[in-house]
Amino acid sequence: MLCRPDDGTPIIIALFLCRFRSLSGARVVAISFICGLISWILYRSFIYPFFQSPLRHIPTVPSIPLWGHLFQIINSEVGVPQRNWHRKYGPVVRYFFPLGGERLSIADDDAIKEITVRDCYGYAKPVRVQKWMASVLGRGVLLVDGNEHMKQRKALAPAFSISSIRALAPVFWRKGLLMTTLLGRKHFAHHAQTIASIEMLDWMNRATLDVICEAGFGYELSSLEHPTTALRQAYASVFAFDFWSRLTQGLLQQSQIFRIIPSQMNRSMASASRVIRSTTDEIVTNKLHADNKEARDIISLVVHANKNIDDEGESYLSFENIRDQVMTFLGAGHDTTAAAVVWTLHLLSKNQHIQDRLRQEIQKALPSVVDSLEAHTLLPQIDVDQLPYLSNVCRESLRYIPPIPLTIREALHDTTLANHPIPKGTKLYIMANAINRLPEYWGPDADTFDPDRWDKLPSTHATNSFMTFLHGPRSCIGRKFAEMEMKVFLCCLLSTYKFEPDSAFEDQEDWKMWRLVLRPRDGINLKVSMI
Ligand code: HEM
């Protein structure tokens, strides 16, 4: 039988040592503590994971258990180690955090279906992760579980139906065209200038923030016209990438106690959180007082539905609930789409033949954008979903670089996945940035950016091979919103400008950083020329 650190072994060892030397009581306690700690570390790192853990039969990535795969994970792009492990060890792999902390990466189609669809409330986001996200994203539909989630999702669903999102198309076009025009005015003010080096991520962040404010809440933020607007600055500071910000964020993911460190990052987070909360309070208060039945924005639809239900004597969402949803949509609904558009521009700049072909399709369907930026009154009637190559380019870009590269879940009860017993409390990762590139699903060219693949998917392709928006009751509620916004922005930009790599800057595909969203560390600098 194996010794355990909690069965008194350390105290027996300490008492044994006392027989040989006359030690004081305090020393015995100190030695017991040190012996206990060492035995606990040895037990957790070397004995439990390999001889006792119920997960020990799952294919395991070799490592030194004391620190596990930590260094490999933090020194790589998020999801890439898991991508390589799945290729080598199969669709369910076990790896380690320090001191034998076991983690599973799941790429098995049926196991993902179990986690995301069949028993989606049996797997929750770990509490530590929820607390870390709640300060910026609110406790909206993204972070609640079980019945509360079902209730909130039901209340929000009509506002995200395809017809509701289509009704928002004029907002997407207006902001897309405004961004295109302002970008031209700023960088091509002199007629002689035909080419400019432009950092595109900041433009996309501001454009998508303005869209979610207007389409989501009927709120005119105008960060495109005023780049230093407080709300934009608040999100920029929350997602800063300098060393201390990354360190503080890493510690906060472990425990909220690290909020007390008087660091610049904690001060910025506190001030950003205040700005986000006061803006969302203002938006919801205005909505609840205004009784504009014509308004088509998402929160108006939710508030109307709420009032109807209220009249029947049952209230779905309280003021705080609605405020938290606004925070969630702001946080989840702008940086994600901005990253998606900017990564697409980056991929198109590296693949000129794809960019040219896409531009031709856009110009054929939307001559008015090309003729004149001002003559866009008819544009909202144009259905971007009718452009097949545009759809393929967007899907392929979202597969190739998924803006949300992973999802974390914790098993809430003992269960079985892919024939492996999984005890309650097991941490499971569904890595979109791994699954989306597995040759087992996508074929041998899984690592190639090829929009045409969507017209000839291999027989090995399954629903869960594309995990960018997740699937099931907890999948992205804003998927249609994001896809339409992305297509409209690409139509506006590609019909006006040509994008090429800027050799003065490093290839940002090698510098992807993860802070909720997978984004380019230094933005995306491209050579942009007027067409
Ligand atoms: C390309 C852009 C987007 C991507 C890749 C994306 C991806 C995702 C993913 C992977 C999740 C599941 C997260 C998890 O449970 O761990 C999610 C959830 C969610 N997303 Fe998105 N998202 C995008 C845009 C949007 C937009 C534009 C909105 C709002 C307008 C939005 C609102 C939400 C909400 C509210 C949830 C929580 C759903 C729930 O738990 O029921 N997302 N998104």
Side-chain angles (χ1 to χ4, degrees):
M1 215 171 100
L2 291 159
C3 300
R4 289 175 54 105
D6 51 1
D7 66 359
T9 312
I11 297 170
I12 294 166
I13 296 171
L15 289 173
F16 180 72
L17 289 173
C18 292
R19 286 182 58 125
F20 293 95
R21 296 187 57 183
S22 54
L23 297 176
S24 67
R27 284 192 177 171
V28 171
V29 172
I31 292 175
S32 309
F33 176 75
I34 292 167
C35 292
L37 189 65
I38 294 171
S39 0
W40 182 81
I41 290 173
L42 293 177
Y43 172 74
R44 288 304 311 175
S45 305
F46 295 96
I47 298 174
Y48 179 79
F50 299 105
F51 300 101
Q52 294 184 322
S53 166
L55 304 175
R56 66 188 182 279
H57 301 297
I58 293 177
T60 299
V61 187
S63 73
I64 296 176
L66 214 51
W67 49 85
H69 299 95
L70 184 73
F71 297 112
Q72 204 173 342
I73 289 171
I74 58 178
N75 287 323
S76 315
E77 177 185 324
V78 63
V80 171
Q82 288 82 351
R83 194 190 293 167
N84 296 331
W85 296 335
H86 282 304
R87 286 176 185 183
K88 198 163 173 193
Y89 301 105
V92 178
V93 291
R94 181 175 71 143
Y95 58 97
F96 295 108
F97 274 19
L99 304 180
E102 296 169 292
R103 299 290 183 275
L104 297 186
S105 181
I106 308 283
D108 178 85
D109 184 52
D110 190 65
I112 296 178
K113 207 171 282 165
E114 178 71 13
I115 298 168
T116 58
V117 181
R118 290 197 293 260
D119 186 20
C120 78
Y121 296 119
Y123 302 85
K125 293 186 184 75
V127 175
R128 269 201 326 234
V129 174
Q130 288 192 20
K131 282 191 177 155
W132 169 62
M133 291 165 94
S135 62
V136 180
L137 296 175
R139 284 196 60 78
V141 66
L142 179 69
L143 294 181
V144 291
D145 282 311
N147 284 342
E148 183 59 26
H149 177 263
M150 247 191 275
K151 181 180 113 174
Q152 293 194 13
R153 183 98 186 190
K154 190 172 159 206
L156 296 172
F160 283 95
S161 68
I162 293 193
S163 58
S164 300
I165 299 303
R166 279 181 186 275
L168 296 173
V171 180
F172 299 151
W173 282 108
R174 206 164 44 249
K175 294 296 178 193
L177 287 162
L178 180 64
M179 179 245 304
T180 311
T181 311
L182 291 180
L183 190 142
R185 274 195 208 141
K186 175 154 186 216
H187 295 280
F188 300 98
H190 306 295
H191 289 300
Q193 189 175 0
T194 53
I195 188 157
S197 174
I198 304 179
E199 197 291 286
M200 295 299 296
L201 181 61
D202 184 56
W203 282 99
M204 293 313 130
N205 276 327
R206 287 187 280 131
T208 52
L209 185 58
D210 285 1
V211 164
I212 191 68
C213 281
E214 192 178 334
F217 329 123
Y219 182 78
E220 192 63 66
L221 183 72
S222 306
S223 76
L224 273 171
E225 296 93 324
H226 308 289
T228 54
T229 181
L231 195 58
R232 173 65 211 130
Q233 297 299 311
Y235 282 108
S237 67
V238 166
F239 297 125
F241 278 138
D242 59 279
F243 175 77
W244 291 111
S245 304
R246 283 165 57 199
L247 183 69
T248 316
Q249 289 287 1
L251 292 172
L252 284 173
Q253 282 181 49
Q254 300 313 311
S255 168
Q256 292 302 301
I257 190 112
F258 294 109
R259 270 194 201 291
I260 58 171
I261 300 174
S263 68
Q264 176 60 38
M265 180 62 198
N266 269 337
R267 280 194 294 276
S268 305
M269 280 285 284
S271 124
S273 189
R274 272 196 300 278
V275 171
I276 296 169
R277 272 181 191 273
S278 67
T279 314
T280 46
D281 271 352
E282 181 192 325
I283 291 171
V284 180
T285 309
N286 290 345
K287 280 282 145 200
L288 291 176
H289 287 131
D291 199 14
N292 181 0
K293 294 208 167 50
E294 303 306 312
R296 308 306 306 157
D297 64 85
I298 291 170
I299 288 298
S300 290
L301 295 183
V302 173
V303 168
H304 287 157
N306 230 29
K307 276 192 178 148
N308 292 343
I309 292 159
D310 229 5
D311 293 343
E312 289 158 24
E314 183 195 0
S315 182
Y316 262 4
L317 300 179
S318 64
F319 175 89
E320 286 74 23
N321 269 168
I322 297 178
R323 200 258 326 271
D324 279 341
Q325 309 305 340
V326 173
M327 271 178 86
T328 302
F329 296 148
L330 271 174
H334 87 279
D335 262 331
T336 43
T337 318
V341 179
V342 90
W343 282 124
T344 310
L345 291 176
H346 165 84
L347 292 166
L348 292 176
S349 77
K350 286 171 65 169
N351 295 277
Q352 285 295 320
H353 60 291
I354 298 178
Q355 186 180 152
D356 292 344
R357 189 172 146 196
L358 178 57
R359 183 175 296 105
Q360 274 169 21
E361 184 185 76
I362 293 170
Q363 286 179 335
K364 210 168 145 202
L366 313 175
S368 54
V369 189
V370 186
D371 293 345
S372 153
L373 275 181
E374 313 303 328
H376 56 249
T377 42
L378 284 174
L379 285 177
Q381 293 165 22
I382 293 162
D383 185 357
V384 281
D385 289 337
Q386 297 305 315
L387 305 185
Y389 197 57
L390 178 61
S391 292
N392 283 358
V393 168
C394 290
R395 276 189 288 191
E396 180 64 352
S397 168
L398 289 163
R399 176 191 78 88
Y400 198 73
I401 307 181
I404 305 279
L406 64 92
T407 288
I408 310 175
R409 294 288 188 267
E410 182 175 331
L412 297 183
H413 53 76
D414 292 346
T415 176
T416 303
L417 289 174
N419 297 325
H420 298 292
I422 306 288
K424 179 181 169 180
T426 304
K427 305 274 189 314
L428 307 152
Y429 284 68
I430 299 178
M431 292 276 180
N433 203 24
I435 298 167
N436 286 8
R437 296 260 203 123
L438 289 182
E440 290 75 5
Y441 289 132
W442 298 94
D445 65 347
D447 277 330
T448 310
F449 175 70
D450 174 16
D452 284 327
R453 77 169 64 247
W454 291 89
D455 291 331
K456 46 177 179 29
L457 290 171
S459 58
T460 45
H461 180 266
T463 320
N464 292 316
S465 5
F466 180 71
M467 290 309 294
T468 301
F469 294 100
L470 220 65
H471 293 285
R474 303 226 57 153
S475 64
C476 178
I477 201 171
R479 176 174 181 169
K480 185 69 208 153
F481 186 113
E483 287 173 338
M484 185 176 268
E485 182 179 9
M486 196 177 165
K487 288 179 183 176
V488 168
F489 278 19
L490 288 172
C491 284
C492 296
L493 287 166
L494 289 172
S495 55
T496 318
Y497 305 111
K498 175 175 175 160
F499 297 90
E500 290 167 288
D502 189 337
S503 54
F505 294 90
E506 286 174 292
D507 185 341
Q508 284 298 311
E509 253 183 272
D510 300 332
W511 291 104
K512 297 189 200 106
M513 301 292 266
W514 177 56
R515 177 71 49 76
L516 293 177
V517 173
L518 194 58
R519 63 189 86 221
R521 187 192 63 179
D522 301 320
I524 292 282
N525 290 276
L526 296 173
K527 273 194 179 159
V528 183
S529 44
M530 298 279 282
I531 289 179

